[in-house]
């Protein structure tokens, strides 16, 4: 067939990119070669519209053991000779088309990124966004995604320990499914995704290759439309039991000392793993595609290169040690086939039955090599005018607190996600400590290291929509605050940047400002970005989703006894509010959901004040001065107090300590605030420490045996509130 610019456009390459490919090759590519460029130069693989700004993020320092983006996942020093490996990625488009497999394979893919480096995964988290929960389509997507996550994670045997779920109309067509995995390993045993050693054999291991997932990377780099259902074959199909065997086999084969390099075949399949491993090692590969195990007959070369069939690895083995590798994979009943060799010419040469099907310099395919990098135009979104025009005085303050609180506690963004998390196995491995003792971050024992990990995923996309720069900072700050309130020290970030079409200048403005805000916050908290994922083209027919830069953050607890939970402990304990109160209702759930105000400023945030509050809370926890700590987020102070009482069925007697608007005081979401409880004997000391640090603090009231009283009004038993909170989502689904 004749290869033209029109052929390239059908493969989601531009006419300019087609000319660039011809220039790089010195000739017109054949169809197989063009398919290879299509996959590797897709947004999903090359980050061509984002890499310029990603490079502005803090990418080294702190406890970093490998440079950001250099390996399949980030690796940071835990101490005692151990490292923590973690990463978050999106599987948004596949989940929109086929929610069960889309979500399941997202979980599988992120686990492979962890164990391909030599780490054993010990925890999974997820960040999910859907449309209006009253909508039947949203209910179907939610059910399928949660079932897919639970099925894969439960069968694979890694606990799902935390996450977040939001419901906003803008995610109706395009849900977001972000999956995070965390593993631990001996830091000096990391396996790099690098090919080296001329003549070393290249092995294909794991599941056979089929036609599922072909073009998945390109599919993830385009808008979802009414025709997207036609791309169902681009969605992969997962097998968690096969992945469990692959995990054990990979960790075992590393111990043989025969492995030179290893990489998961994720996005763009064989072409991606061969290109990236070769380019990183400055080598080439000769690959015989007819030696790749297949589960469908007569697959063409381009199909084999682009298939994203799951549970597969590419392994470069030291020549002469093939028998040791084959023995391990045979033991685990997994396919292990030698499909090629490492070469010294930098070229990828793909053969079928002795015929050369494609010849491409590896360097020209990859991010940081020949893949194009663009600087897109951006401009302030027109809707900012509505946000700037917002006047809080136009919203009448409330007269009665209790009815508003009753509505808020049942809003799906605030209510218990019990319906979701009970479908996940959170206890497999017996390392999760948060099931019966909740904390702001999930706390997981890192067995054998003498330490524990505090892990969280966070992003309030409504804040980012209102102010991308401030919202990006808040996402980082809230993640750090959750880890600090759990007794941990934040050490590093992985991010999943979910935005609309980057060719839209207003969308690109959101992206640029959010990344800039994230970078400034990460530098302040000394939490470098270890890597992550960019997901563009998250669009509805009405426009883009909210800009959603999800932050996955890991913290260290050197001493598990330093662990802090969010629940009130005993009747008579004193309740204190740390941080500055503000006359602020901007972008709150109260304003957005109850008052139907879509455009309002992001809530109050000051980075220096936030850092000071977190440093104080960390000191109070370390010095054993508080009994509980829970940060104020969605729903404001009232919801934070209720959530602090639910676990032990304890109530509270509190009153407002300022003359602010009632709605702002109780339901505003100004940042940098934490509710702590302490014994009566500790209260004065805590107040002194805060005042000495120049941080606002006030005494709200006391913990009660179960009754709630606010500003002298009896709100009844905590049990009634807990029932509303726990069952709100289930009632909507039923």
């Amino acid at each position: 067939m004749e290869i033209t610019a029109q052929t390239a456009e059908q493969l989601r390459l531009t006419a300019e990119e087609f000319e660039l490919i011809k220039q790089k090759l010195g000739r017109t590519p054949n169809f197989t070669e063009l398919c290879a460029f299509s996959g590797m130069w897709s947004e999903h693989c090359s980050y061509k519209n984002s890499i310029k700004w990603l490079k502005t993020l803090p990418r080294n320092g702190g406890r970093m053991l490998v440079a950001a983006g250099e390996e399949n996942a980030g690796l940071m020093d835990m101490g005692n000779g151990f490292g923590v490996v973690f990463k978050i990625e999106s599987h948004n488009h596949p989940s929109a088309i086929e929610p069960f497999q889309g979500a399941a394979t997202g979980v599988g893919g992120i686990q492979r990124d962890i164990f391909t480096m030599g780490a054993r995964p010990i925890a999974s988290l997820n960040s999910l966004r859907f449309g209006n929960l009253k909508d039947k389509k949203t209910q179907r997507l939610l059910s399928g995604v949660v079932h897919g996550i639970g099925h894969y994670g439960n069968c694979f045997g890694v606990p799902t320990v935390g996450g977040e779920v939001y419901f906003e109309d803008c995610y109706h067509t395009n849900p977001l499914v972000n999956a995070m995995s965390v593993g631990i390993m001996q830091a000096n045993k990391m396996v790099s995704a690098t090919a080296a050693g001329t003549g070393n054999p290249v092995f294909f291991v794991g599941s056979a290759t089929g036609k599922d997932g072909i073009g998945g990377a390109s599919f993830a780099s385009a808008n979802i439309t009414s025709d997207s259902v036609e791309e169902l074959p681009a969605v992969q199909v997962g097998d968690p039991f096969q992945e469990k065997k692959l995990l054990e086999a990979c960790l075992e084969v590393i111990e043989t000392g025969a492995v030179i390099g290893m990489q998961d075949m994720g996005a763009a399949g064989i072409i991606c793993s061969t290109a990236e491993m070769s380019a990183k090692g400055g080598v080439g590969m000769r690959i015989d595609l007819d030696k790749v195990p297949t589960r469908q007959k007569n697959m063409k070369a381009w199909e084999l290169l682009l298939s994203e069939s799951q549970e597969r690895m590419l392994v470069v083995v030291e020549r002469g040690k093939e028998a040791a590798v084959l023995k391990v994979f045979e033991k685990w009943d997994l396919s292990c086939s030698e499909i090629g060799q490492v070469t010294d010419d930098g070229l990828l040469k793909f053969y079928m039955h002795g015929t050369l099907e494609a010849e491409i310099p590896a360097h020209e395919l990859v991010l940081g090599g020949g893949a194009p990098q663009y600087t897109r135009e951006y401009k302030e979104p027109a809707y900012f005018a509505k946000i700037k025009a917002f006047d809080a005085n136009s919203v009448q303050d409330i007269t009665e607190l209790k009815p508003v609180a009753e509505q808020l506690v049942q809003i799906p963004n605030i209510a218990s996600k019990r319906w979701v998390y009970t479908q996940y196995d959170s206890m497999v491995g017996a390392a999760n400590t948060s099931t019966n003792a909740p904390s702001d971050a999930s706390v997981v024992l890192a067995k054998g290291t003498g330490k524990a990990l505090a892990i969280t995923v966070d992003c309030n996309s409504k804040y980012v929509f209102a102010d991308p720069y401030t919202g990006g900072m808040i996402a980082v700050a809230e993640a750090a605050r959750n880890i600090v309130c759990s007794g941990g020290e934040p050490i590093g970030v992985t991010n999943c940047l979910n935005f609309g079409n980057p060719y839209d200048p207003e969308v690109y403005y959101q992206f640029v400002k959010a990344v800039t805000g994230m970078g400034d916050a990460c530098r302040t908290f000394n939490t470098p970005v270890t890597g992550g994922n960019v997901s563009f083209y998250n669009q509805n027919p009405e426009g883009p989703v909210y800009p959603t830069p999800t932050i996955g953050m890991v913290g260290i607890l050197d001493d598990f006894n330093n662990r802090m939970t969010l629940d009130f402990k005993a009747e008579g304990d004193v309740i204190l509010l740390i941080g500055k109160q503000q006359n602020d209702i901007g972008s709150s759930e109260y304003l957005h959901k109850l008052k139907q105000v879509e455009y309002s400023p992001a809530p109050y945030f000051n980075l220096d004040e936030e850092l000071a509050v977190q440093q104080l809370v960390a000191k109070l926890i370390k010095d054993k001065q508080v009994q509980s700590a829970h940060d104020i987020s969605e729903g404001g102070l009232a919801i934070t107090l209720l959530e602090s009482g639910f676990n032990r069925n304890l109530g509270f007697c509190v009153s407002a300590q300022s003359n602010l608007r009632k709605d702002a005081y109780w339901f505003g979401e100004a940042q940098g605030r934490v509710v702590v409880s302490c014994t009566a004997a500790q209260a004065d000391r805590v107040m002194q420490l805060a005042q000495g640090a120049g941080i606002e603090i006030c005494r709200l009231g006391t913990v009660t045996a179960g009754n709630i009283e606010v500003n002298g009004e009896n709100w009844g038993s905590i049990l009634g509130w807990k029932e509303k909170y726990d069952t709100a989502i289930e009632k909507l689904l039923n």
Side-chain angles (χ1 to χ4, degrees):
M1 64 181 291
E2 182 185 3
I3 305 300
T4 65
Q6 187 174 11
T7 317
E9 287 172 4
Q10 289 171 341
L11 293 172
R12 296 191 173 117
L13 290 161
T14 65
E16 293 76 16
E17 286 169 345
F18 180 60
E19 292 304 316
L20 184 59
I21 291 165
K22 290 198 293 184
Q23 179 185 323
K24 288 180 178 296
L25 294 180
R27 56 180 170 80
T28 300
N30 64 32
F31 183 72
T32 300
E33 291 167 336
L34 195 62
C35 286
F37 278 101
S38 168
M40 292 303 294
W41 283 13
S42 68
E43 185 67 45
H44 195 73
C45 288
S46 73
Y47 296 159
K48 58 191 176 186
N49 288 308
S50 58
I51 188 62
K52 172 185 172 181
W53 292 101
L54 297 180
K55 287 178 178 177
T56 68
L57 294 168
R59 295 153 60 88
N60 48 45
R63 296 176 180 239
M64 295 276 278
L65 293 178
V66 297
E70 288 297 307
E71 298 296 344
N72 286 316
L75 172 63
M76 301 196 80
D77 186 11
M78 290 177 63
N80 296 348
F82 288 91
V84 55
V85 179
F86 57 101
K87 190 179 183 184
I88 188 170
E89 281 201 338
S90 63
H91 236 221
N92 303 336
H93 283 41
S95 300
I97 302 301
E98 210 298 288
F100 176 83
Q101 288 294 353
T105 52
V107 173
I110 198 67
Q111 305 293 359
R112 289 194 299 280
D113 280 338
I114 301 305
F115 70 75
T116 192
M117 290 176 65
R120 179 172 292 278
I122 63 168
S124 295
L125 301 91
N126 50 70
S127 174
L128 312 176
R129 319 274 159 154
F130 300 96
N132 191 317
L133 190 52
K134 295 178 181 177
D135 184 88
K136 290 297 181 187
K137 178 182 178 180
T138 296
Q139 294 180 8
R140 180 182 65 81
L141 288 171
L142 172 68
S143 178
V145 165
V146 171
H147 187 198
I149 291 170
H151 168 74
Y152 205 103
N154 297 355
C155 295
F156 181 59
V158 172
T160 301
V161 301
E164 58 179 6
V165 189
Y166 285 89
F167 302 92
E168 300 287 356
D169 291 348
C170 65
Y171 301 109
H172 172 76
T173 301
N174 197 139
L176 302 186
V177 177
N178 296 174
M180 180 176 175
S181 179
V182 181
I184 55 174
M185 65 181 295
Q186 288 181 264
N188 62 354
K189 289 190 174 182
M190 189 202 79
V191 174
S192 178
T194 306
T198 303
N200 278 334
V202 178
F203 279 87
F204 173 105
V205 303
S207 295
T209 298
K211 294 186 179 183
D212 56 311
I214 290 177
S218 299
F219 169 56
S221 306
N223 293 339
I224 287 184
T225 68
S226 57
D227 297 327
S228 293
V229 70
E230 304 297 328
E231 305 209 41
L232 187 59
V235 180
Q236 309 91 331
V237 177
D239 181 347
F241 298 109
Q242 187 82 340
E243 176 130 329
K244 173 61 175 172
K245 294 195 298 179
L246 189 60
L247 159 68
E248 300 300 341
C250 286
L251 295 183
E252 188 172 324
V253 82
I254 290 168
E255 295 298 321
T256 67
V259 175
I260 301 294
M262 179 162 57
Q263 181 160 328
D264 161 41
M265 288 185 202
I270 291 175
I271 186 59
C272 185
S273 51
T274 54
E276 290 183 348
M277 290 183 75
S278 298
K280 192 171 173 189
V283 298
M285 288 185 187
R286 179 213 157 98
I287 301 293
D288 292 297
L289 291 171
D290 49 287
K291 294 181 180 177
V292 173
T294 59
R295 61 174 184 265
Q296 288 171 276
K297 293 181 179 179
N298 302 318
M299 287 186 70
K300 298 180 177 64
W302 67 269
E303 292 175 319
L304 288 164
L305 285 181
L306 291 187
S307 169
E308 294 180 15
S309 293
Q310 296 291 284
E311 295 88 38
R312 304 178 302 158
M313 294 282 188
L314 195 73
V315 186
V316 176
V317 172
E318 185 178 340
R319 187 168 49 186
K321 296 185 177 180
E322 296 91 339
V325 172
L326 289 164
K327 182 178 179 182
V328 170
F329 286 100
E330 185 178 336
K331 168 189 169 182
W332 289 98
D333 192 25
L334 288 169
S335 172
C336 179
S337 306
E338 184 176 338
I339 63 168
Q341 301 82 37
V342 175
T343 61
D344 61 2
D345 57 7
L347 296 174
L348 297 175
K349 296 181 180 179
F350 297 101
Y351 291 82
M352 281 284 279
H353 306 294
T355 300
L356 182 65
E357 295 281 349
E359 180 178 329
I360 309 171
H363 173 82
E364 299 296 358
L365 288 168
V366 301
L367 166 68
Q373 297 182 21
Y374 299 124
T375 302
R376 293 287 167 217
E377 173 193 355
Y378 59 93
K379 66 178 183 180
E380 184 174 289
Y383 71 81
F384 274 26
K386 298 178 185 176
I387 290 171
K388 292 172 182 174
F390 173 75
D391 180 3
N393 294 322
S394 67
V395 179
Q396 187 173 354
D397 196 5
I398 55 178
T399 54
E400 294 185 74
L401 287 175
K402 185 181 176 185
V404 177
E406 285 176 325
Q407 287 179 278
L408 269 182
V409 82
Q410 297 177 83
I411 289 174
N413 284 354
I414 290 173
S416 169
K417 309 306 183 291
R418 182 175 74 174
W419 184 88
V420 173
Y421 66 70
T422 52
Q423 298 186 52
Y424 304 150
D425 188 338
S426 64
M427 294 304 292
V428 61
N432 179 18
T433 70
S434 300
T435 303
N436 298 314
S439 48
D440 280 0
S442 302
V443 178
V444 180
L445 293 172
K447 293 180 178 180
T449 70
K451 305 193 179 207
L453 300 172
I455 319 165
T456 186
V457 287
D458 289 287
C459 179
N460 186 312
S461 57
K462 196 155 65 269
Y463 300 168
V464 189
F465 176 75
D467 183 336
Y469 176 73
T470 299
M473 287 198 291
I474 289 174
V476 175
E478 184 181 2
R481 197 186 319 135
N482 284 336
I483 285 173
V484 166
C485 286
S486 305
E489 173 201 349
I491 64 166
V493 159
T494 176
N495 56 42
C496 201
L497 308 179
N498 308 272
F499 291 82
N501 191 321
Y503 292 83
D504 179 339
E506 295 190 359
V507 166
Y508 205 67
Y509 177 97
Q510 295 173 329
F511 172 75
V512 169
K513 296 300 181 182
V515 169
T516 307
M518 284 170 42
D520 287 347
C522 285
R523 278 181 279 273
T524 296
F525 294 110
N526 191 27
T527 52
V529 178
T530 63
N533 172 227
V534 178
S535 175
F536 281 133
Y537 303 98
N538 294 292
Q539 300 269 147
N540 297 299
E542 300 79 29
V545 301
Y546 282 160
T548 312
T550 305
I551 297 295
M553 189 179 285
V554 170
I556 300 288
L557 279 78
D558 288 322
D559 180 0
F560 181 70
N561 292 323
N562 214 34
R563 187 265 176 96
M564 180 54 59
T565 56
L566 63 80
D567 50 336
F568 294 146
K569 300 301 185 295
E571 180 183 1
D573 280 355
V574 176
I575 303 170
L576 302 171
L577 172 58
I578 298 172
K580 188 182 291 186
Q581 290 291 86
Q582 300 288 336
N583 228 355
D584 186 353
I585 54 175
S587 288
S588 62
E589 286 292 300
Y590 156 77
L591 183 65
H592 189 223
K593 300 297 193 302
L594 302 190
K595 296 294 185 179
Q596 313 298 300
V597 175
E598 185 174 356
Y599 299 97
S600 65
Y604 175 85
F605 176 77
N606 181 290
L607 189 55
D608 294 332
E609 291 173 8
E610 177 77 48
L611 179 63
V613 166
Q614 292 190 24
Q615 289 172 336
L616 172 66
V617 171
K619 177 175 173 54
L620 293 173
I621 292 171
K622 187 175 182 181
D623 293 346
K624 305 286 193 282
Q625 293 292 319
V626 293
Q627 303 300 310
S628 71
H630 189 16
D631 81 317
I632 293 178
S633 56
E634 287 83 14
L637 175 59
I639 297 300
T640 300
L641 291 166
L642 287 165
E643 289 175 344
S644 299
F646 288 150
N647 190 53
R648 296 173 187 259
N649 297 327
L650 292 170
F652 46 88
C653 176
V654 294
S655 57
Q657 301 299 307
S658 81
N659 295 319
L660 299 179
R661 296 174 54 127
K662 284 185 179 179
D663 54 5
Y665 190 88
W666 294 104
F667 309 122
E669 296 176 16
Q671 299 294 291
R673 297 180 297 154
V674 177
V675 170
V676 299
S677 65
C678 57
T679 66
Q682 293 170 323
D684 288 342
R685 175 64 177 154
V686 173
M687 299 275 286
Q688 289 169 4
L689 286 168
Q691 290 159 358
I695 294 169
E696 285 191 21
I697 187 168
C698 67
R699 193 181 296 232
L700 289 174
T702 56
V703 178
T704 69
N707 195 61
I708 299 174
E709 185 179 304
V710 179
N711 281 355
E713 180 185 11
N714 184 3
W715 282 18
S717 168
I718 188 74
L719 295 175
W721 291 86
K722 186 176 180 180
E723 196 273 338
K724 289 183 174 69
Y725 177 81
D726 280 345
T727 61
I729 285 179
E730 293 158 20
K731 287 176 179 174
L732 278 172
L733 290 173
N734 290 336

